[in-house]
Amino acid sequence: MDENKPADLKDLIHRLTLEQKAALLTGEDFWSLPAVPEIGLRKVLLSDGPAGVRGTSWDERDPSLLFPNPTALAATWDPGRARQAGALMGAQARDKGVAWHLAPNANLHRSPLGGRHFECCSEDPLLTAEIVAGFVEGVQSAGVAATVKHYIGNESETDRMTYDAEIDEATLHKVCLPPFEAAVRAGAWSVMAAYNAVGGVTMTDNGPLLTGLLKDRLGFDGVVVSDWFATRSTAASALAGLDVVMPGPQGPWGAALVDAVRAGEVPEAVLDDKVLRILRLASRTGCLDGLDSPTEKTATPAATPDDAEAQLRDLAARAMVVLRNEPVGAAPLLPLDPGTLSRVAVIGPNASHLTAQGGGSAHVNPAHVISPLTGLSAALGPSVTIDHAEGVHTQRLLAPITAQTATDPETGHPGLRVDFLDAAGAILGSELRKTSRFVFMGGLPVGTSGIRVRADLAVTETGKHQFSVSGIGKFRLTVGAEPTAELTMTPSEDGDIVEGLVKPPEHRIAVDLEAGTGVRAEVVALVDPGLPIAMFGLHSEAPGSGADELFAAAVAAARAADLAIVVVGTTDEVESEGFDRADLKLPGRQDDLVAAVVAANPRTVVVVNAGAPVEMPWRERVPALLWAWFPGQEGGHAIADALTGAVEPAGRLPTTFPKTAADAPVLSTRPVDGTISYREGSLVGYRGYEKADTVPAFPFGHGLGYTTWSYEDITAAVTDSGDIEVLVRVRNTGARIGREVVQIYLTGEGVDRADPQRLVGFGATLAAPGEIATVPITVPARVLARWDADAHGWRVRGGPRALIASRSAADPRLRTRVEVADG
Ligand code: BGC
């Protein structure tokens, strides 16, 4: 590090007044820190991840690349792929002028009910750490700050603003911290303080964890930013080590922080350190001009590459997991050979409606989403007839109105007209929009007190058509001539703000319409001028078939086909930020649908499109089962690539899939008297299953790929540094090229030496049929150490250990022993 660097940045700080310093420490709005031209500081833009880079508007007119969800990324067991995804996201951030990206999410899969499970990597601290570190390196290689969130103990959503996570010191260090620590070691430029409390102190006020552990012990030199609206104090949070309050311009710092400095409650040097950290981030991301000598090495700005969509497609397909592939007759169904098929039934609610991402702040607006139906039609080609049947309808809201079906009443152009109205109804501004779900967070014309949306629709079916408005607030919905009364729609009692965005209440009306006519739908959302935020939708649906007809049509299509592909899954209303899941069931009658389809046609392939585990009571009845995650915008093509073997779906589960929710070692996410106790300690995930002797539906690390492997030899040697160098020789015994992930588990730990095994390393190889490959895996000495709560430090207890090379936590293949020295 250049010795002059802090001095240069410090010179800049001395040119700022106290007021200017304080102004830099709270957002100027929802998504930026203010510019200070006198010192060459440009506006620093922030944007969510981790599904992509949304940018500063929530708008289909500013589309973003939509990536496979982070659990999918972790399913590659490949930090290099995480780096690639991070670099691509970083490049897109640069293109959007975003310097500070709000990803990755380094929290763990503690309970499968956790609402943001899909946004996290894994149940295992080591795998999460490796993926998160790769991602951070990738984002930052583009000169964009990565933000590791949510520090710490934010593994669930219920009462997330207030619960107190009770985590003992050993569990904190062994389980929760490693991913954050790895990200800091990878050089992360920002960390986000979570909403919840740990040890009775809310994270934005938590001095021992923000300053003591993160900054002092781990040496974090970046910016600690609050989660949005998390900060509740002035002096306490400033003194605890929080650097930036988001969003702004209101908030508990600002003038109150200036007063606190003047009153002697907060030393000005504390503000200087925060400003220094911001300037360092600005310098690292190219937002600081005018220093005589560049004091921080800024990475070369990247631009979104031309092959970005191809990269997303490839990444998504590689991450998919073949859970099951049993022979039907002579051979397994997968990979499909399109040449042998003439009629395929593509069934299920997610076949035409891919859930490409989960719900909440991670949401981005992709330019398109490829559905499995589209992807399969392209991959199977014109010689295969495809019969599509939804089978079960799982969308709670009516369908959005889009430019495909609606025209602007003013111009007749495809789309919907949005007018911003003042209190007297005069138009302050207008927009033509392509879809009817709206999120406005600031940025409305000054004086807006209503947002009116109008669309003209052609009626193609006679019967009862449904229309609805969704959202929270006051609305007037008008269809045709009859306006409804003013509607007041309120969130559920204990609902989170995000719940209103993702799972809003809906008010429906039914209108009789005749084919060949037209109808105008209009909604006016009333805006509170003090809170210029509006989130609402306008929806409609033609009469359509009843539930029983839909179901029967799907079963009939399956019966008539040579092969049925059923795409089931969750939705972004089921898996979302802001609330936890109530159970692990597939929504609607999807379980019945799978059972009925496989009974009608034994040649059935099931694809599950979900982020987090679901119960699959039919799993042993279906011959082929592919887990597709939330695969992002190219998902339909990626599913087709995976099913046909154009790309090997070589993913391995980064989390255990239970048979039933009750089998999960940690299930409840509901605080008891405001507290969530991490009393399971390190017995989370597969370690918890082993301890309880519970056999899951699919174990951690499981994934079949499209070839078979034999494990031939293992050697392990302890080096002078205490690391263990493991070599595992494997042979591809199948007929196709494939990628094998070799997992190293350690046993023989604990006082009684009977602790469940834990993952201590992994590596992968690509091998052709018959090829032998040796996979080198380093188990760092530090991974062998355990937290000694008495000494408050890491310690290796010497003695024998067994190392097991496995294909999954439940499929050990080779074993060796090493003698570990005390340390
Ligand atoms: C989420 C963060 C997110 C922030 C900004 C919060 O609700 O917890 O992950 O970065 O909003 O959208």
Side-chain angles (χ1 to χ4, degrees):
M1 204 197 250
D2 180 348
E3 282 303 309
N4 294 325
K5 175 174 41 185
D8 291 345
L9 296 176
K10 278 180 184 154
D11 286 348
L12 298 181
I13 300 172
H14 295 139
R15 288 196 236 151
L16 299 174
T17 63
L18 176 60
E19 284 75 7
Q20 281 178 309
K21 291 175 192 171
L24 253 184
L25 305 180
T26 291
E28 190 174 41
D29 50 34
F30 243 85
W31 306 115
S32 70
L33 289 192
V36 185
E38 303 91 285
I39 60 164
L41 178 65
R42 284 187 262 132
K43 201 173 169 68
V44 180
L45 292 189
L46 298 96
S47 166
D48 271 311
V53 183
R54 189 175 55 246
T56 55
S57 67
W58 206 299
D59 197 318
E60 80 283 354
R61 293 166 301 177
D62 179 20
S64 308
L65 294 171
L66 171 56
F67 287 66
N69 67 307
T71 323
L73 212 53
T76 64
W77 291 60
D78 187 348
R81 291 274 171 205
R83 203 170 295 120
Q84 177 196 350
L88 191 52
M89 244 182 251
Q92 170 131 99
R94 298 290 315 199
D95 282 350
K96 287 177 175 273
V98 168
W100 194 345
H101 188 48
L102 302 173
N105 190 331
N107 300 118
L108 295 175
H109 293 161
R110 182 169 173 267
S111 159
L113 297 178
R116 296 180 91 167
H117 198 284
F118 74 92
E119 254 192 73
C120 304
C121 294
S122 160
E123 68 190 14
D124 182 75
L126 176 76
L127 178 57
T128 306
E130 297 275 325
I131 297 296
V132 158
F135 183 86
V136 166
E137 285 167 11
V139 171
Q140 297 192 167
S141 72
V144 171
T147 308
V148 197
K149 63 190 190 181
H150 308 82
Y151 184 74
I152 199 166
N154 185 183
E155 266 79 25
S156 50
E157 295 295 280
T158 308
D159 298 341
R160 63 175 171 158
M161 304 278 178
T162 53
Y163 75 72
D164 180 26
E166 201 176 74
I167 311 174
D168 65 62
E169 190 184 308
T171 304
L172 183 84
H173 283 85
K174 290 195 298 197
V175 180
C176 303
L177 191 62
F180 289 93
E181 194 174 347
V184 170
R185 290 199 201 292
W189 295 337
S190 179
V191 167
M192 183 184 285
Y195 287 123
N196 53 279
V198 175
V201 186
T202 195
M203 279 310 303
T204 41
D205 281 0
N206 203 315
L209 294 179
L210 293 181
T211 299
L213 181 54
L214 181 66
K215 291 184 174 175
D216 293 348
R217 270 253 318 279
L218 301 185
F220 174 64
D221 72 353
V223 180
V224 177
V225 59
S226 73
D227 201 344
W228 267 230
F229 301 106
T231 320
R232 284 154 248 183
S233 67
T234 305
S237 50
L239 291 170
L242 182 72
D243 298 313
V244 169
V245 167
M246 284 302 284
Q250 279 88 32
W253 285 10
L257 188 56
V258 171
D259 291 346
V261 173
R262 297 236 157 87
E265 287 169 46
V266 177
E268 187 162 349
V270 167
L271 270 64
D272 289 351
D273 178 62
K274 301 181 194 311
V275 174
L276 175 67
R277 288 167 181 272
I278 291 171
L279 295 182
R280 196 181 280 140
L281 183 146
S283 157
R284 286 167 164 166
T285 56
C287 295
L288 189 61
D289 303 323
L291 286 180
D292 290 342
S293 58
T295 54
E296 285 275 355
K297 198 181 157 301
T298 303
T300 324
T304 309
D306 293 340
D307 69 346
E309 289 179 359
Q311 286 192 45
L312 294 183
R313 173 174 176 167
D314 184 67
L315 199 57
R318 287 184 195 288
M320 291 177 189
V321 185
V322 182
L323 291 177
R324 202 174 144 82
N325 197 13
E326 294 295 310
V328 178
L333 293 178
L334 298 178
L336 302 177
D337 177 357
T340 62
L341 299 169
S342 61
R343 181 163 218 116
V344 173
V346 177
I347 293 169
N350 294 42
S352 54
H353 260 101
L354 179 76
T355 304
Q357 60 183 323
S361 63
H363 183 275
V364 302
N365 293 289
H368 60 248
V369 169
I370 306 293
S371 71
L373 184 60
T374 303
L376 282 163
S377 305
L380 298 180
S383 58
V384 179
T385 303
I386 292 191
D387 296 318
H388 167 239
E390 192 182 8
V392 173
H393 189 77
T394 52
Q395 304 291 322
R396 184 179 60 89
L397 299 177
L398 299 179
I401 296 174
T402 69
Q404 269 82 51
T405 53
T407 55
D408 173 359
E410 297 290 329
T411 62
H413 291 147
L416 301 96
R417 168 145 304 243
V418 176
D419 297 316
F420 303 100
L421 309 175
D422 71 8
I427 296 178
L428 301 169
S430 290
E431 295 177 344
L432 180 65
R433 299 293 295 265
K434 287 187 248 164
T435 181
S436 65
R437 283 195 76 175
F438 306 97
V439 179
F440 298 99
M441 284 194 183
L444 297 174
V446 177
T448 299
S449 67
I451 304 172
R452 180 176 64 194
V453 180
R454 286 175 294 156
D456 282 344
L457 301 161
V459 179
T460 53
E461 263 179 74
T462 299
K464 268 208 189 319
H465 290 246
Q466 299 205 76
F467 293 83
S468 72
V469 56
S470 65
I472 288 176
K474 292 196 163 133
F475 303 95
R476 277 197 305 269
L477 174 66
T478 310
V479 177
E482 287 297 303
T484 58
E486 190 170 293
L487 302 164
T488 300
M489 295 173 31
T490 46
S492 66
E493 244 297 275
D494 50 358
D496 188 282
I497 167 171
V498 174
E499 192 167 346
L501 169 69
V502 179
K503 217 166 53 171
E506 182 184 34
H507 181 88
R508 292 187 182 189
I509 56 174
V511 183
D512 284 314
L513 297 172
E514 243 175 70
T517 61
V519 66
R520 176 164 304 169
E522 172 180 315
V523 65
V524 179
L526 304 181
V527 178
D528 174 355
L531 188 69
I533 295 179
M535 305 183 249
F536 64 99
L538 175 63
H539 316 259
S540 78
E541 226 159 82
S545 323
D548 290 343
E549 285 101 322
L550 277 185
F551 196 95
V555 178
R559 193 170 290 121
D562 343 310
L563 178 87
I565 301 175
V566 192
V567 190
V568 290
T570 59
T571 69
D572 58 0
E573 282 194 346
V574 173
E575 292 189 61
S576 172
E577 178 185 340
F579 49 92
D580 295 313
R581 281 193 292 173
D583 56 41
L584 300 186
K585 303 208 180 308
L586 282 170
R589 289 177 65 199
Q590 295 187 84
D591 285 335
D592 291 349
L593 180 69
V594 174
V597 167
V598 73
N601 188 338
R603 291 171 52 80
T604 289
V605 176
V606 177
V607 177
V608 185
N609 168 210
V614 293
E615 289 170 1
M616 296 176 275
W618 35 260
R619 68 189 176 280
E620 280 166 11
R621 272 177 278 158
V622 303
L625 177 53
L626 178 78
W627 189 271
W629 307 110
F630 290 152
Q633 65 177 56
E634 305 301 319
H637 285 318
I639 287 173
D641 288 345
L643 290 176
T644 58
V647 175
E648 186 194 25
R652 304 289 188 262
L653 292 181
T655 210
T656 311
F657 281 18
K659 287 180 182 159
T660 66
D663 284 349
V666 178
L667 186 65
S668 172
T669 57
R670 184 156 292 285
V672 177
D673 296 332
T675 299
I676 295 193
S677 169
Y678 283 47
R679 68 170 67 84
E680 71 280 2
S682 65
L683 296 177
V684 69
Y686 59 91
R687 288 171 53 80
Y689 285 86
E690 184 182 328
K691 189 76 182 177
D693 219 359
T694 303
V695 178
F698 297 103
F700 175 78
H702 174 72
L704 298 171
Y706 282 153
T707 188
T708 50
W709 298 87
S710 72
Y711 277 53
E712 311 213 317
D713 190 36
I714 182 169
T715 61
V718 184
T719 66
D720 292 346
S721 62
D723 295 351
I724 306 177
E725 296 296 348
V726 187
L727 294 174
V728 180
R729 203 169 70 225
V730 296
R731 181 198 297 266
N732 180 346
T733 51
R736 298 173 65 94
I737 187 170
R739 179 174 188 269
E740 176 68 341
V741 177
V742 176
Q743 304 161 34
I744 304 293
Y745 295 87
L746 177 115
T747 62
E749 288 188 308
V751 181
D752 57 3
R753 306 258 181 229
D755 252 19
Q757 63 177 355
R758 71 185 165 99
L759 185 76
V760 290
F762 59 92
T765 187
L766 193 68
E771 199 184 332
I772 293 178
T774 298
V775 184
I777 298 161
T778 302
V779 178
R782 166 57 202 284
V783 172
L784 299 173
R786 308 296 283 170
W787 186 260
D788 182 336
D790 298 327
H792 308 292
W794 292 102
R795 197 167 84 89
V796 182
R797 215 161 55 88
R801 301 280 197 283
L803 291 174
I804 309 167
S806 306
R807 297 209 67 213
S808 81
D811 190 0
R813 293 297 178 97
L814 296 169
R815 175 183 282 261
T816 188
R817 280 164 76 86
V818 282
E819 195 63 34
V820 175
D822 273 324

